[in-house]
Amino acid sequence: MHTIDLRSDTVSQPTPTMRNAMAVAQVGDDVYGEDPTVNRLQALAAEMTGKEAALFVPSGTMCNLIAILSHCQRGDEYVVGQQAHTYKYEGGGAAVLGGVQPQPLDFEADGTLDFVEIKAAIKPADAHFARTRLLCLENTQAGKVLPLGYQAQAAEFARENGLALHLDGARAFNAAVAQGVPIEEITRHYDSASLCLSKGLGAPVGSVLVGPKAFIETAHRWRKVCGGGMRQAGIIAEAGYVALGYQVERLAMDHGTARRLAEGLAEIEEINIDLESVQTNMVFVDCDPRRHEPLKAYLKERGILVGGYGSIRMVTHIDILPLDIPKVVDAFKEFFASQNG
Ligand SMILES: *Cc1c(COP(=O)(O)O)cnc(C)c1O
C-alpha cells in the first residue's frame, strides 16, 4: 500500500535526479574549505538571496542557533514568536548554549509580530535588564506567508531600534513561490536568514544560513563550536544544489494540492478549517479534541499519516500525488460518518 504521509514535508524523499547527482558529486574536506560542491551550493544560495555569503549547515535548528549566537552575546536577548520554532521547538538552544535569553511574544493571526508589542518588550539600557539585540521572524509561519510590506517595515523598525533582524525561513521558498517573487524579495529585508533544503525542496539533509561576509565568518566559527564542521559534505550539498536549482518552482504544486485538500475537508461538518490560513503547503484542521487520537488511528489504518501537536496538521510535498487528495478527504468523511452512526 502507498502510504500517504502528510505529517511533514520533511518526509519527502530525494528524487532519482538528486540521488544520481549525489553519487557523482565532487568532494573535498570542507573543514579545510576544500569541498567544491559545498562551495558551489553556498555561492548559489548567496546569489539567489542577494547576500554576500552563505554557510551550509546540517539542520535548520543549528542554522538558527548559530545565527542567534552570531548576532548576540551572553546576557543579550532576542524577541521571537511564542509559537516560533526558534523559541519553542529548538530545545532552548540559544539559552542553553549561548546564555541568550528569548523574549517571546504572541504571533498575530497572520503570523506577524506587532511592532507596538515589540517596542514595549525592548529593554532600556539598565543593569537590571538583558540587552535586546535581535528580532527573529518566521516565514512561512504555520504555512502563512508574511506580507512583503510587513517585512520591509520590520527592517525599518529593527534599524530604528538598534536590533538585528533574522529570518527563520525554513519554508521561505514556499512564501516566495506563493507570492510569485524571487526569494531575494524576502531575504533583502533581513540581516540574516536560515533556509531549509530538506523540507519542500526535497533534499535529504541540510540548511543554508545567508548574510554578510563577516557575519557568515562568525557563524562558521559557531558551526564548528557546535560540532557542525563536516568533511566530504559535498555528497549532501549536491542534493541541496539540485533542490535550489530545480525544485523551487515545483512548490507551487504542493500549494495547489494543499488547497484542494483544505477545500475538500471544509465540506465536512465536524471539521473547522480556516481556509484563509491555507496559503502554502500546510493544512490545519480543528475538530473535537476527543476525536483527534481515534481519527489519527483510523487514518493510519488506511495508510494516511497526519501530524500536529494538539491539532491536526497536514503538509503536502513532492511525494503527495494529486490522486491522494480525494482518498484523504474520503477517509475523513468515512471516519466522521462512522462516529455518528
Ligand atoms: C523545520 C523547521 C526548522 C528547522 O528544523 P530542522 O528539523 O532542525 O531542520 C526551523 N524553523 C521552522 C519554522 C521549521 O519548520
Side-chain angles (χ1 to χ4, degrees), residues 12-19 44 48 173-174 177 197-204 238-255 317-319:
S12 55
Q13 295 279 317
T15 61
T17 307
M18 237 176 217
R19 288 174 186 269
L44 177 63
M48 287 173 83
F173 279 102
N174 292 84
V177 166
L197 303 168
S198 64
K199 296 194 167 163
L201 295 181
E238 179 66 30
Y241 189 84
V242 173
L244 288 185
Y246 302 97
Q247 308 228 120
V248 173
E249 296 307 318
R250 201 207 55 77
L251 294 171
M253 295 174 71
D254 299 342
H255 301 172
H317 53 82
I318 190 167
D319 300 317

Side-chain angles (χ1 to χ4, degrees), residues 70-213:
S70 301
H71 283 299
C72 300
Q73 304 286 317
R74 181 162 170 253
D76 289 350
E77 125 181 311
Y78 66 108
V79 177
V80 63
Q82 188 75 248
Q83 301 297 328
H85 202 281
T86 314
Y87 167 59
K88 193 172 175 185
Y89 299 96
E90 296 180 4
V96 173
L97 303 169
V100 182
Q101 135 179 318
Q103 166 61 67
L105 297 174
D106 285 329
F107 280 122
E108 301 297 300
D110 63 359
T112 61
L113 290 172
D114 180 77
F115 296 125
V116 175
E117 281 181 38
I118 303 170
K119 184 84 186 174
I122 296 174
K123 316 287 182 288
D126 177 311
H128 287 89
F129 304 119
R131 290 163 302 207
T132 314
R133 288 281 198 236
L134 174 68
L135 172 59
C136 284
L137 298 176
E138 189 172 297
N139 189 15
T140 61
Q141 202 285 309
K144 288 169 290 193
V145 177
L146 299 191
L148 292 170
Y150 170 80
Q151 294 173 99
Q153 281 179 294
E156 200 181 310
F157 175 90
R159 224 176 1 257
E160 280 169 4
N161 290 281
L163 305 179
L165 184 63
H166 173 70
L167 172 67
D168 177 356
R171 297 187 180 85
F173 279 102
N174 292 84
V177 166
Q179 286 168 322
V181 298
I183 188 74
E184 186 179 357
E185 287 302 307
I186 292 174
T187 48
R188 61 193 284 252
H189 300 300
Y190 296 87
D191 296 304
S192 60
S194 60
L195 306 164
C196 281
L197 303 168
S198 64
K199 296 194 167 163
L201 295 181
V205 193
S207 284
V208 283
L209 179 63
V210 298
K213 192 161 175 287

